[in-house]
């Protein structure tokens, strides 16, 4: 039962995480605000939402100082991932960014094998390779890659892999997921407040209802729901399986493009989608057998 729960949480997490471009790109493209302010509002609203949820569920927000330090460090890695991805959209297409970012399952698998004694599974390695090929096909022809955008996305590969492994192996995995998510968001909000004040001198106001709507959805779906279910997935099925099931992220982005932005659906897109779904099925069947 734990495996089934973990798989479900991992799929929900990656699917909602794939909605980041849907809500962030319109705000940036309209010129309503810059990246620093957008990221600050995203995590400030997310912090408020998870705080309300915690109070409603009568959770205890007290946390040991040693755990708080670890969670704050994890928050920096999570925030760095969000910052790198959002900034990269200004230099390369979201499809190209997604393709490069999805190298993180390989790094997660390598870290778990090299430093934590996890046995190399042929099924998981095969699923990882198939999912990466699938993502490449899904994002084929999405535009060139500028060096600055490439560096930003490569940074997210390291930061997101470190975050996923850190949640599993840093000693915070026993912390209540609601409380863990809350303090990760507090650390992220503080970081982006400093970033906004340090780069622009101020946090830009929200100018209209459309921008507010996009920010609220950005805070709730690919932030609160995505990170909360990510933590639960890691708790139930571990870092490696959770990372590989992240292939739903680019799949979501493609489906949004087809159905929301009326983008074309080519043979390569269909092939990529098939490979991603096949890779996910391999992981699900392996976990079910276990």
């Amino acid at each position: 039962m734990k495996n089934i729960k973990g798989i479900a949480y991992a799929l929900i997490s990656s699917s909602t995480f794939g909605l980041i471009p849907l809500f962030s790109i319109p705000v940036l493209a309209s010129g309503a605000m810059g990246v620093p302010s957008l990221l600050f509002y995203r995590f400030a609203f997310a912090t408020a939402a998870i705080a309300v949820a915690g109070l409603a569920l009568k959770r205890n927000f007290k946390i040991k100082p040693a755990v708080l330090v670890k969670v704050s460090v994890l928050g920096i890695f999570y925030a760095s991932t969000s910052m790198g991805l959002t900034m990269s959209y200004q230099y390369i297409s979201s499809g190209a960014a997604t393709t490069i970012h999805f190298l993180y399952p390989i790094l997660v698998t390598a870290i778990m094998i090299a430093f934590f004694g996890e046995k190399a599974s042929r099924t998981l390695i095969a699923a990882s390779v198939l999912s990466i090929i699938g993502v490449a096909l899904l994002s084929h022809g999405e535009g060139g890659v500028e060096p600055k955008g490439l560096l930003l996305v490569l940074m997210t590969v390291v930061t997101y892999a470190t975050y996923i492994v850190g949640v599993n192996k840093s000693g915070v995995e026993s912390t209540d997921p609601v409380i863990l998510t809350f303090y990760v968001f507090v650390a992220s909000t503080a970081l982006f407040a400093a970033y906004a004040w340090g780069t622009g001198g101020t946090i830009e106001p929200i100018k209209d209802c459309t921008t507010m709507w996009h920010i609220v959805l950005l805070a709730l779906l690919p932030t609160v729901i995505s990170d909360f279910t990510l933590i639960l997935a890691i708790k139930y099925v571990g870092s490696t399986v959770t990372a590989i099931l992240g292939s739903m992220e680019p799949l979501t982005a493609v489906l949004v493009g087809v159905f929301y932005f009326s983008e074309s659906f080519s043979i390569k897109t269909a092939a990529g989608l098939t490979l991603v779904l096949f890779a996910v099925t391999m992981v699900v069947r392996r976990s079910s057998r276990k």
Side-chain angles (χ1 to χ4, degrees), residues 27-42:
V27 175
L28 297 174
S30 68
M33 65 178 60
V35 172
S37 295
L38 174 62
L39 290 170
F40 168 76
Y41 284 120
R42 173 188 172 186

Side-chain angles (χ1 to χ4, degrees), residues 21-172:
L22 177 63
F23 304 125
S24 61
I25 289 178
V27 175
L28 297 174
S30 68
M33 65 178 60
V35 172
S37 295
L38 174 62
L39 290 170
F40 168 76
Y41 284 120
R42 173 188 172 186
F43 281 94
F45 289 1
T47 302
I50 200 70
V52 170
L55 292 172
L57 295 170
K58 298 181 179 180
R59 294 292 198 268
N60 184 0
F61 283 82
K62 291 183 180 179
I63 189 171
K64 294 179 180 179
V67 176
L68 180 59
V69 171
K70 292 178 181 178
V71 173
S72 298
V73 173
L74 289 174
I76 292 173
F77 281 109
Y78 188 77
S80 298
T81 302
S82 300
M83 181 176 68
L85 274 176
T86 305
M87 291 180 67
S88 73
Y89 299 148
Q90 298 179 312
Y91 303 100
I92 60 178
S93 69
S94 59
T98 299
T99 303
I100 299 166
H101 172 67
F102 197 69
L103 292 172
Y104 76 83
I106 294 179
L107 185 56
V108 169
T109 304
I111 292 173
M112 294 301 294
I113 292 173
F115 297 102
F116 298 102
E118 183 172 291
K119 294 182 179 179
S121 166
R122 292 180 180 179
T123 301
L124 291 183
I125 292 174
S128 181
V129 172
L130 286 176
S131 61
I132 289 171
I133 295 173
V135 171
L137 289 172
L138 286 172
S139 304
H140 179 76
E142 289 287 335
V145 177
E146 292 187 22
K148 190 170 184 179
L150 176 61
L151 290 175
L152 286 168
V153 181
L154 287 176
M155 178 192 77
T156 71
V157 175
V158 177
T159 55
Y160 201 51
T162 304
Y163 177 73
I164 290 175
V165 175
V167 169
N168 190 18
K169 297 296 183 180
S170 65
V172 303

Side-chain angles (χ1 to χ4, degrees), residues 197-214:
W197 284 100
T199 54
T202 185
I203 297 173
E204 301 168 85
I206 300 174
K207 298 178 181 178
D208 52 67
C209 293
T210 302
T211 301
M212 172 67 81
W213 178 242
H214 279 115

